[in-house]
């Protein structure tokens, strides 16, 4: 067994891990290996034992680490060619090839015996056929096959393997796409040793591996597409090494497609080094934690820009909550034609900010589509796999422009520059379409405080509290702000929708703040009367239409004045000109018990 070292990959009972510590553990005897499991749920801690920290895991999962004995058997690693034969050649043919080559047999057409039993009457024709098939392979998928490198050894660096490397080029020279994901690879040099023999390789997948820092003087040529999902690569380590991160330096001049899905990228600025890739056409950072433009909240500068050749970006399933990021994308990616940005929490919000509307429902799919495409110029032609038609664009941009108008109308004139700064396409859209009419509902008074404009629609809104009494059930209530310009017919139509009542099958009774003397009151027993000379304790219990107060006259002898809102085309606002707070309106339907 090879000597374990930090950074080495091991597989135990089919479960991949990376050695993070080799040494003793306090309170125990002998040496231990501190391993970080690829499947973080398999561990018990994050590198500590009884309060002592022995190693750190790259995974943020609290149970990614474990201690195992060096003597614990690990799964046998495979060389690249062994994995290739295991995947693309039958086991019997593979064993036959090994036995024949080992014995040095050269006889054609003879029966081959293993342990005295005839396995198959075959010569080298079938072996040659198998090798010929391997030579024709163009797409090779070896994910999960415990590959350590060119050799079947954990100690790749300690063994000369130039001859083994040459055999790779002879065995499978036509490979254009190679998947080495979830293997035992830990050094970039081992990947380079394999890829350097594959002169036609264009697409490389290394998902789920755990790499050590990049070695010097490695140049990957010819590869145009690289996948590095779930590798836990650290951007901080990359920046300190000035290596364009461990991700891009191996392919600085030819890479056209880069996939960095499901990593720990938190900001757009963390991608700045990738802007130096001159041929990058597609970038995917799906499933990361991007929530801001800059890593530092105090840094607002953007000193990088991707070349126009980058036309496709996938930034879906991140943590974007602000339109600010979308406003910056057209500047950072000037050549963008294709964008995917679904499943971000931004689209769970209402289309207008809370300062403009009280609506709490998230935007619809159509609203999200329109408000997203409107932040980008017409060069963006595909959004979330949907082609943007000219009609989509005009509808979206006009809708977006109308929302900007609503937002401006709900703010003061002094706040307008700050609002427009959040909508960088406003001037452009105003030139393309009609500038929205701004009717401000908010102004600044002499002290600078924000107040409702006295002639605005908001100032003429009447807050109505509707109450529908029900027999043997608590009353139903709804509160709505109604324009004072509504007539009774419109108010009744609103009430009909709120309570599900037939149109005009009910009465609306306004309970004013004025009081009238109560000459008769219906109490517990129907027909009981009382007059002003009666004592309070002799009167029957009063209903909710009567109120008592310790201030002013005894209002227990008075009832609220009620006014029925009769069907009319007259504005209801005229009735409530002197009202403040809520206007109480009782909804009465035939045979409904009165609440008086």
């Amino acid at each position: 067994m090879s000597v374990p070292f930090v950074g080495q990959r091991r597989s135990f009972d089919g479960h991949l891990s990376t050695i993070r510590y080799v040494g003793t553990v306090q309170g125990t005897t002998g040496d231990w290996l501190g391993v970080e499991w690829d499947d973080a749920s398999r561990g018990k801690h994050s590198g500590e034992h009884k309060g002592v920290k022995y190693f750190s895991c790259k995974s943020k999962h609290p149970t990614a680490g474990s201690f195992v004995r060096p003597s614990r058997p690990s799964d046998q690693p495979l060389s690249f060619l062994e994995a290739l034969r295991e995947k693309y050649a039958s086991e019997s043919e593979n064993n036959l090839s090994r036995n024949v080559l080992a014995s040095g047999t050269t006889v054609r057409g003879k029966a081959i015996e293993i342990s005295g039993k005839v396995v198959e009457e075959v010569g080298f024709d079938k072996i040659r056929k198998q090798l010929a098939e391997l030579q024709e392979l163009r797409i090779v998928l070896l994910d999960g096959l415990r590959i350590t490198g060119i050799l079947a050894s954990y100690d790749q660096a300690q063994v000369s393997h130039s001859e083994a490397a040459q055999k790779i080029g002879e065995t499978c020279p036509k490979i254009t796409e190679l998947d080495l994901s979830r293997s035992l690879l830990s050094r970039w040099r081992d990947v380079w040793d394999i890829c350097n023999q594959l002169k036609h390789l264009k697409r490389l997948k290394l998902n789920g591996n755990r790499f050590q820092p990049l070695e010097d003087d490695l140049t990957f040529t010819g590869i145009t597409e690289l996948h590095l999902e779930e590798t836990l690569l650290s951007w901080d380590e990359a920046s300190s090494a000035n290596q364009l991160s461990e991700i891009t330096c191996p392919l600085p001049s030819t890479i056209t497609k880069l996939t960095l899905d499901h990593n720990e990228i938190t900001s757009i600025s963390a991608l700045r080094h990738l802007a130096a890739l001159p041929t990058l056409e597609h970038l995917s950072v799906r499933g990361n934690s991007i929530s801001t433009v800059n890593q530092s909240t105090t840094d607002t500068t953007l000193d990088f820009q991707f070349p126009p050749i980058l036309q496709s970006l996938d930034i879906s399933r991140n943590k974007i909550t602000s339109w600010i990021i979308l406003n910056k994308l057209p500047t950072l990616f000037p050549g963008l034609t294709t964008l995917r940005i679904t499943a971000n929490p931004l689209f769970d919000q209402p289309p207008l900010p809370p300062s403009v509307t009280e609506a709490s429902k998230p935007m619809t799919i159509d609203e999200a589509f329109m408000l997203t495409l409107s932040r980008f110029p017409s060069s963006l032609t595909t959004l979330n796999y949907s082609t943007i038609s000219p009609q989509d664009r005009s509808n979206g941009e006009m809708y977006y422009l109308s929302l900007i108008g609503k937002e401006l109308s709900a703010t003061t004139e002094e706040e307008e520059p700050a609002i427009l700064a959040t909508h960088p396409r406003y001037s452009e859209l105003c030139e393309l379409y009609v500038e929205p009419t701004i009717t401000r509902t908010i102004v600044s008074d002499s002290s600078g405080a924000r107040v409702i404009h006295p002639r605005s629609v908001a100032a003429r809104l009447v807050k109505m509290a509707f109450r529908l009494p029900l027999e043997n059930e608590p009353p139903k209530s709804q509160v709505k702000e109604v324009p004072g310009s509504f007539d009774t017919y419109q108010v009744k139509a609103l009430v009909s929708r709120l309570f599900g009542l037939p149109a005009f099958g009910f009465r609306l009774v306004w309970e004013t703040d004025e009081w009238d003397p109560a000459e008769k009151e219906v109490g517990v027993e129907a027909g009981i009367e009382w007059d002003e000379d009666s004592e309070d304790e002799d009167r029957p219990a009063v209903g909710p239409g009567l109120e008592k107060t310790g201030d002013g006259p005894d209002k227990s002898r008075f009832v609220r004045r009620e006014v029925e809102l009769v069907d009319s085309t007259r504005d209801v606002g005229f009735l409530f000109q002197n009202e403040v707070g809520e206007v109480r309106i009782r909804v009465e339907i035939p045979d409904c018990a009165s609440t008086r």
Side-chain angles (χ1 to χ4, degrees):
M1 180 178 291
S2 63
V3 178
F5 57 87
V6 173
Q8 188 183 69
R9 299 274 283 162
R10 288 288 180 100
S11 175
F12 296 97
D13 300 321
H15 298 284
L16 298 175
S17 66
T18 305
I19 297 176
R20 301 295 186 197
Y21 172 77
V22 179
T24 60
V25 174
Q26 187 175 355
T28 67
T29 59
D31 287 339
W32 291 87
L33 302 181
V35 300
E36 177 183 356
W37 299 102
D38 287 19
D39 178 3
S41 63
R42 286 190 52 80
K44 297 181 179 180
H45 50 75
S46 58
E48 70 282 341
H49 177 69
K50 292 185 177 181
V52 179
K53 189 76 171 179
Y54 291 91
F55 64 94
S56 297
C57 297
K58 284 195 172 184
S59 170
K60 294 182 178 180
H61 199 284
T63 61
S66 291
F67 287 105
V68 300
R69 289 292 188 181
S71 58
R72 178 175 174 174
S74 59
D75 300 329
Q76 178 63 38
L78 297 177
S79 69
F80 174 81
L81 286 179
E82 285 177 340
L84 184 74
R85 294 190 182 101
E86 181 174 305
K87 179 68 178 287
Y88 293 96
S90 67
E91 184 177 356
S92 60
E93 291 178 359
N94 200 21
N95 289 337
L96 174 62
S97 174
R98 290 176 180 173
N99 279 281
V100 171
L101 292 176
S103 64
T105 305
T106 58
V107 181
R108 274 175 79 95
K110 299 294 183 179
I112 304 298
E113 294 187 5
I114 299 178
S115 301
K117 185 177 180 180
V118 176
V119 176
E120 187 176 6
E121 187 171 353
V122 62
F124 283 97
D125 288 341
K126 199 159 190 176
I127 297 174
R128 289 194 182 95
K129 180 181 179 181
Q130 172 192 327
L131 294 177
E133 290 175 351
L134 294 179
Q135 289 176 345
E136 295 299 319
L137 285 174
R138 284 174 169 78
I139 300 177
V140 173
L141 310 178
L142 302 178
D143 53 310
L145 290 184
R146 307 189 309 278
I147 297 173
T148 53
I150 287 181
L151 301 175
S153 170
Y154 289 117
D155 302 322
Q156 296 283 316
Q158 301 175 18
V159 184
S160 174
H161 50 269
S162 58
E163 184 178 349
Q166 184 178 351
K167 288 183 179 179
I168 292 177
E170 297 172 352
T171 304
C172 46
K174 297 183 179 181
I175 292 178
T176 60
E177 179 178 334
L178 176 61
D179 191 343
L180 298 176
S181 301
R182 288 167 285 279
S183 290
L184 298 179
L185 295 164
S186 63
R187 301 190 315 150
W188 282 102
R189 182 167 296 279
D190 296 329
V191 177
W192 183 87
D193 286 338
I194 296 171
C195 297
N196 194 44
Q197 305 302 317
L198 306 175
K199 306 304 181 184
H200 299 282
L201 184 63
K202 300 295 183 184
R203 188 179 189 187
L204 177 62
K205 292 186 177 182
L206 298 171
N207 303 329
N209 286 292
R210 301 289 186 266
F211 288 105
Q212 301 174 39
L214 179 69
E215 300 91 335
D216 296 332
D217 303 326
L218 290 183
T219 302
F220 286 66
T221 58
I223 296 177
T224 60
E225 185 175 329
L226 176 63
H227 291 250
L228 291 167
E229 301 176 21
E230 300 180 74
T231 56
L232 303 185
L233 288 171
S234 168
W235 291 89
D236 293 335
E237 292 176 359
S239 299
S240 64
N242 195 25
Q243 295 283 351
L244 199 61
S245 89
E246 299 174 341
I247 300 167
T248 59
C249 191
L251 305 170
S253 60
T254 58
I255 186 169
T256 62
K257 185 174 182 179
L258 182 60
T259 302
L260 301 173
D261 297 351
H262 305 293
N263 282 287
E264 295 295 328
I265 304 169
T266 60
S267 69
I268 298 293
S269 63
L271 306 172
R272 67 174 67 238
H273 297 298
L274 302 180
L277 295 175
T279 59
L280 185 62
E281 298 175 0
H282 170 79
L283 174 63
S284 176
V285 286
R286 183 173 182 266
N288 280 270
S289 300
I290 295 175
S291 61
T292 62
V293 175
N294 292 289
Q295 291 171 304
S296 171
T297 56
T298 59
D299 181 13
T300 59
T301 60
L302 293 174
D303 57 356
F304 67 99
Q305 185 182 66
F306 282 81
I309 194 173
L310 196 153
Q311 299 181 349
S312 176
L313 174 67
D314 188 341
I315 198 171
S316 59
R317 299 192 178 278
N318 276 269
K319 297 181 180 180
I320 298 173
T321 60
S322 171
W323 292 106
I324 294 176
I325 292 182
L326 273 72
N327 292 337
K328 298 292 185 182
L329 291 183
T331 301
L332 295 172
F333 301 88
L336 205 60
T337 62
T338 302
L339 174 67
R340 189 182 182 199
I341 196 170
T342 54
N344 275 281
L346 168 66
F347 305 113
D348 297 329
Q349 302 174 10
L352 282 169
S355 59
V356 180
T357 178
E358 295 181 358
S360 58
K361 291 184 179 180
M363 65 188 78
T364 64
I365 295 177
D366 289 338
E367 287 175 326
F369 185 80
M370 290 190 292
L371 293 179
T372 299
L373 72 87
S374 300
R375 259 86 177 172
F376 294 84
S378 57
S379 55
L380 185 73
T381 57
T382 304
L383 176 61
N384 299 331
Y385 299 122
S386 296
T387 301
I388 301 173
S389 68
Q391 188 66 39
D392 290 334
R393 179 159 291 280
S394 61
N395 288 343
E397 290 177 340
M398 286 190 289
Y399 174 64
Y400 176 42
L401 196 57
S402 70
L403 292 190
I404 299 176
K406 290 181 179 180
E407 189 173 358
L408 291 173
S409 296
T411 56
T412 66
E413 190 171 349
E414 292 77 12
E415 294 172 312
E416 181 172 315
I419 297 297
L420 293 182
T422 65
H423 303 289
R425 294 198 70 210
Y426 179 71
S427 298
E428 177 187 352
L429 295 179
C430 286
E431 292 179 3
L432 291 173
Y433 308 99
V434 179
E435 183 175 355
T437 301
I438 309 302
T439 306
R440 298 196 182 278
T441 59
I442 303 293
V443 295
S444 298
D445 62 13
S446 57
S447 65
R450 301 169 85 250
V451 296
I452 296 178
H453 195 291
R455 293 194 299 273
S456 69
V457 174
R460 298 192 298 271
L461 290 177
V462 179
K463 192 172 186 180
M464 293 185 175
F466 301 102
R467 187 179 76 254
L468 174 63
L470 300 172
E471 291 188 32
N472 303 321
E473 293 183 38
K476 291 183 178 179
S477 299
Q478 291 276 4
V479 178
K480 290 292 179 181
E481 289 187 336
V482 178
S485 58
F486 269 28
D487 57 30
T488 311
Y489 295 106
Q490 291 172 299
V491 175
K492 282 193 170 183
L494 173 64
V495 172
S496 176
R497 293 195 300 270
L498 291 176
F499 296 101
L501 299 176
F504 310 112
F506 52 87
R507 298 169 62 236
L508 298 180
V509 180
W510 169 32
E511 300 174 351
T512 73
D513 284 338
E514 298 181 4
W515 297 85
D516 288 328
E519 297 180 355
K520 182 172 69 173
E521 171 65 23
V522 178
V524 178
E525 297 180 9
I528 296 180
E529 298 183 2
W530 58 276
D531 56 34
E532 293 183 334
D533 294 331
S534 301
E535 296 295 331
D536 289 351
E537 59 269 20
D538 294 332
R539 294 204 308 262
V542 298
L546 302 178
E547 297 183 7
K548 295 182 180 181
T549 177
D551 300 326
D554 183 3
K555 292 184 180 179
S556 61
R557 301 180 182 182
F558 295 83
V559 293
R560 287 185 182 278
R561 180 177 299 171
E562 294 183 346
V563 177
E564 181 180 355
L565 302 184
V566 296
D567 296 345
S568 170
T569 57
R570 186 181 183 185
D571 293 352
V572 295
F574 286 103
L575 293 173
F576 313 125
Q577 290 180 4
N578 299 322
E579 290 293 318
V580 293
E582 293 182 349
V583 174
R584 296 175 297 277
I585 297 181
R586 188 172 67 251
V587 182
E588 291 186 350
I589 56 178
D591 300 325
C592 178
S594 172
T595 60
R596 290 188 57 189

